[in-house]
Amino acid sequence: MLSLPKIPFMAVGLLEALGAVSGMAAGALLAGAWIPILSQTFLVWQLLLSFLFLGRRYRANQVLGCLLVSLGVIITVASGSSSGLSLQNVGIFWILLMIASFLFQAADTVLKEKIFLDSSRRLKGGSVDIFVVNSFGSAFQAMFICLLLPFLSNLWGIPFSMLPTYIKDGGACFLNIGELASGCEGAPMLPLLFVVVNMAFNISMLHCLKISSAVVSSLASTFSGLNLFEIHLNTTSVASLTRFRENGT
């Protein structure tokens, strides 16, 4: 298993890093109601990418359902009238960034499916272990997030020279200690709970992907209460960190 090419795992890590950082950047500014709506584009991206790179073919009713999902997202984005869903309140850039984050995540799952398919041929009927895929992907994801820090600091309006201070303050917020702990309510249990839920969700979805396909795993995640719980924890954590930085500055 460890003799498998590492380039695909590097690509998985890069896509996971891009999906994570773009999603967190947009999620910090979008209202919570936006994220479940925009997440519907995840399935659309998966259908398109699996058609292009895996050669999958879909029936007319499946394509029609995909188009209806896209239409629903477009109508919601274009005509949001409530204060939380108004385009004037959030800006189109952050909406597009969130949609792009789901593109990266969809590409990540399709690439993982391709890794499982290729490994089955390389290992003569065997299959790569899901923990190998998850471990390599997570390791490369961490590496690419570190490499992206200069770009991320610029995107968030943080001078690169101040980044160590932000990391130090972020650690204090994570542990809920120090003078700037206001706005970090729920830490450290809330972020730790997010990590546990995220790991459980990722492993279960990776197993589903291995035994079925990227599209099936996407449909399973849509109906998963664990996924909604994870999204809620993620947006709550990001919002808390945003308030923390505002209070700190």
Side-chain angles (χ1 to χ4, degrees):
M1 288 185 183
L2 296 179
S3 63
L4 293 172
K6 302 302 184 295
I7 297 298
F9 294 109
M10 291 184 65
V12 165
L14 177 60
L15 290 169
E16 288 183 347
L18 292 173
V21 298
S22 57
M24 292 187 68
L29 296 175
L30 291 175
W34 274 109
I35 298 176
I37 294 172
L38 297 178
S39 68
Q40 303 309 307
T41 60
F42 181 62
L43 178 60
V44 177
W45 290 125
Q46 279 195 327
L47 288 173
L48 179 61
L49 293 173
S50 62
F51 170 77
L52 292 175
F53 297 104
L54 298 179
R56 295 285 166 79
R57 297 295 183 266
Y58 299 99
R59 296 189 299 271
N61 60 336
Q62 294 173 315
V63 176
L64 178 61
C66 179
L67 293 175
L68 289 175
V69 170
S70 303
L71 182 62
V73 173
I74 292 172
I75 292 175
T76 303
V77 170
S79 62
S81 57
S82 66
S83 59
L85 294 178
S86 175
L87 271 176
Q88 289 76 13
N89 290 340
V90 295
I92 190 66
F93 171 77
W94 300 108
I95 293 175
L96 294 177
L97 185 62
M98 180 60 75
I99 293 175
S101 76
F102 289 113
L103 168 61
F104 295 133
Q105 294 174 47
D108 164 51
T109 57
V110 171
L111 180 56
K112 286 177 180 176
E113 182 180 356
K114 185 170 178 57
I115 289 174
F116 284 125
L117 294 173
D118 290 344
S119 67
S120 179
R121 290 191 291 267
R122 288 176 177 272
L123 299 175
K124 298 179 180 180
S127 182
V128 63
D129 192 271
I130 60 173
F131 290 100
V132 173
V133 177
N134 192 58
S135 298
F136 274 115
S138 298
F140 284 119
Q141 179 188 13
M143 181 188 74
F144 282 115
I145 286 180
C146 291
L147 293 176
L148 287 170
L149 280 178
F151 167 76
L152 295 176
S153 64
N154 182 64
L155 178 65
W156 293 329
I158 303 172
F160 186 69
S161 60
M162 295 291 296
L163 196 57
T165 301
Y166 274 72
I167 294 175
K168 177 182 176 182
D169 291 347
C173 182
F174 181 87
L175 298 173
N176 200 8
I177 59 176
E179 299 177 355
L180 301 178
S182 176
C184 302
E185 292 80 6
M189 292 306 300
L190 183 61
L192 287 176
L193 183 59
F194 168 74
V195 171
V196 172
V197 173
N198 181 265
M199 290 177 61
F201 177 77
N202 287 341
I203 292 173
S204 61
M205 287 299 100
L206 194 58
H207 177 70
C208 182
L209 186 151
K210 180 180 179 180
I211 64 176
S212 56
S213 68
V215 174
V216 172
S217 68
S218 173
L219 292 172
S221 68
T222 301
F223 294 99
S224 170
L226 193 60
N227 185 29
L228 296 176
F229 185 44
E230 177 193 359
I231 289 174
H232 174 72
L233 287 174
N234 189 20
T235 53
T236 303
S237 300
V238 171
S240 297
L241 287 172
T242 302
R243 290 195 304 270
F244 165 74
R245 286 309 314 163
E246 290 174 351
N247 294 335
T249 55

